[in-house]
Amino acid sequence: MSAIRKCLFPAAGYGTRFLPVTKAMPKEMLPIVNKPLIQYGVEEAARAGITDMAFVTGRGKRALEDHFDISYELEREIAGSERESLLAETRRLVRECHFSYTRQLEVRGLGHAILSGETLIGDKPFAVLLADDFCVTEDAGVLAQLAELYSEHNCSIVAVEEVPPAEISSYGIIDGEERSPGLYRVTDMVEKPDPADAPGNLAVIGRYVLTPDIFDILRRTPPGRNSEIQITDALKTQARKGRVLAWRFRGRRFDCGSIAGFMAANNFVWSNEA
Ligand code: UTP
């Protein structure tokens, strides 16, 4: 059984790149064909053996709670019809997982969002999944890959991928030494560096396993880039003690926080399903 029982879903961002669609609707409810990004995320967490789904939301995000709830009228309406199967997976998640919610009162960065989730997580290691990073894998999902590594190494682990130079300034970039194929001991991290100053091209994507000491570190972490509390800065503190690994995950990621990535993900899933 996985040691990681809880997953935090930071979902309080404004999604300004998708306006106007995100004016009254959470970005995480955007669909890949007919399934919202957040459901893909919860399915990935469930496949990693996680049962507790903890959401950090904000104003205008109520659709997320409604999605992971029973919808009696709707379910009665489609009962016995062929459309019932369309809801089967959602209903299974609602039955088998526990969902909890808290709000990030001010949008002050991903590190601050994760700290806002402490009350839902407690003092055990936990996963973090950013639903706008949509990942497709052939075998184990990305969180399952991280959870397996956690059981061996017992420290924070981030998923990374190589990005082209033009994209380096959009990500947290790691420095580290490769200990075995695809697995790095992180020595340093920089948030959104200029490509010329970057320690490499391995970018952190929206999948993490974090040890709970991260909360105390986040509490002490001053605002960094963009005046936001950056998870990258807190991870750097753990990395200096040799307590962070990076895993070049098996699979493919689509950046669904951007319209181009979102369209590419939809085309990919649609052409593979059709
Ligand atoms: P992004 O910066 O990509 O998301 O944050 P955003 O702010 O919603 O999008 P744009 O840039 O305005 O279009 C990455 C993830 O971190 C969450 C977001 O919801 C997203 O899932 N986040 C970010 C928070 O929950 N709180 C924050 O303060 C910042």
Side-chain angles (χ1 to χ4, degrees):
M1 188 189 281
S2 167
I4 310 295
R5 309 310 308 246
K6 297 189 179 184
C7 184
L8 194 66
F9 297 86
Y14 291 127
T16 51
R17 281 169 286 177
F18 279 87
L19 283 169
V21 70
T22 46
K23 182 165 181 284
M25 186 187 97
K27 174 170 77 173
E28 296 75 16
M29 287 302 293
L30 287 171
I32 302 298
V33 187
N34 61 340
K35 191 193 290 186
L37 283 166
I38 193 68
Q39 184 170 333
Y40 279 102
V42 169
E43 287 176 9
E44 183 182 324
R47 285 206 311 278
I50 292 170
T51 49
D52 276 35
M53 310 296 172
F55 290 69
V56 178
T57 69
R59 288 174 290 281
K61 301 276 185 171
R62 218 169 288 161
L64 291 169
E65 293 187 39
D66 289 338
H67 188 73
F68 295 107
D69 197 354
I70 296 169
S71 175
Y72 288 103
E73 281 179 8
L74 174 64
E75 290 181 22
R76 196 174 325 115
E77 183 67 25
I78 61 172
S81 83
E82 60 187 28
R83 296 200 181 152
E84 207 173 1
S85 65
L86 294 173
L87 266 190
E89 180 63 8
T90 321
R91 285 162 67 166
R92 189 185 67 79
L93 292 171
V94 171
R95 250 194 339 265
E96 295 179 4
C97 303
H98 178 255
F99 294 83
S100 57
Y101 303 86
T102 190
R103 284 192 175 206
Q104 184 188 17
L105 297 180
E106 291 172 285
V107 179
R108 290 175 54 201
L110 179 56
H112 183 260
I114 291 173
L115 184 55
S116 304
E118 180 180 18
T119 171
L120 303 178
I121 295 297
D123 60 359
K124 298 278 187 324
F126 62 103
V128 175
L129 188 150
L130 305 184
D132 53 0
D133 267 342
F134 173 71
C135 293
V136 184
T137 52
E138 276 182 12
D139 49 2
V142 183
L143 274 194
Q145 296 173 33
L146 297 187
E148 190 183 333
L149 285 166
Y150 178 83
S151 61
E152 209 177 310
H153 298 279
N154 293 299
C155 66
S156 290
I157 310 174
V158 298
V160 291
E161 74 171 14
E162 292 184 40
V163 294
E167 292 178 22
I168 281 177
S169 60
S170 304
Y171 293 94
I173 303 290
I174 66 141
D175 195 3
E177 61 228 32
E178 194 166 9
R179 291 170 33 134
S180 57
L183 188 64
Y184 300 77
R185 173 73 63 192
V186 178
T187 51
D188 198 7
M189 299 178 94
V190 200
E191 183 64 22
K192 300 188 171 66
D194 283 340
D197 305 330
N201 67 346
L202 286 172
V204 179
I205 66 136
R207 302 288 186 280
Y208 312 71
V209 166
L210 301 175
T211 51
D213 55 309
I214 201 78
F215 293 123
D216 275 336
I217 299 172
L218 279 168
R219 251 186 289 283
R220 294 195 303 266
T221 301
R225 213 180 159 94
N226 298 334
S227 307
E228 294 183 333
I229 297 177
Q230 300 288 353
I231 187 64
T232 306
D233 293 336
L235 280 165
K236 192 155 66 179
T237 304
Q238 287 188 329
R240 289 204 180 113
K241 296 181 195 143
R243 302 286 302 145
V244 181
L245 293 172
W247 170 238
R248 214 173 53 229
F249 67 95
R250 299 184 302 276
R252 179 167 177 195
R253 177 189 70 107
F254 295 88
D255 172 15
C256 291
S258 76
I259 291 186
F262 172 73
M263 295 305 293
N266 267 288
N267 287 332
F268 178 86
V269 171
W270 181 242
S271 57
N272 280 283
E273 278 181 4

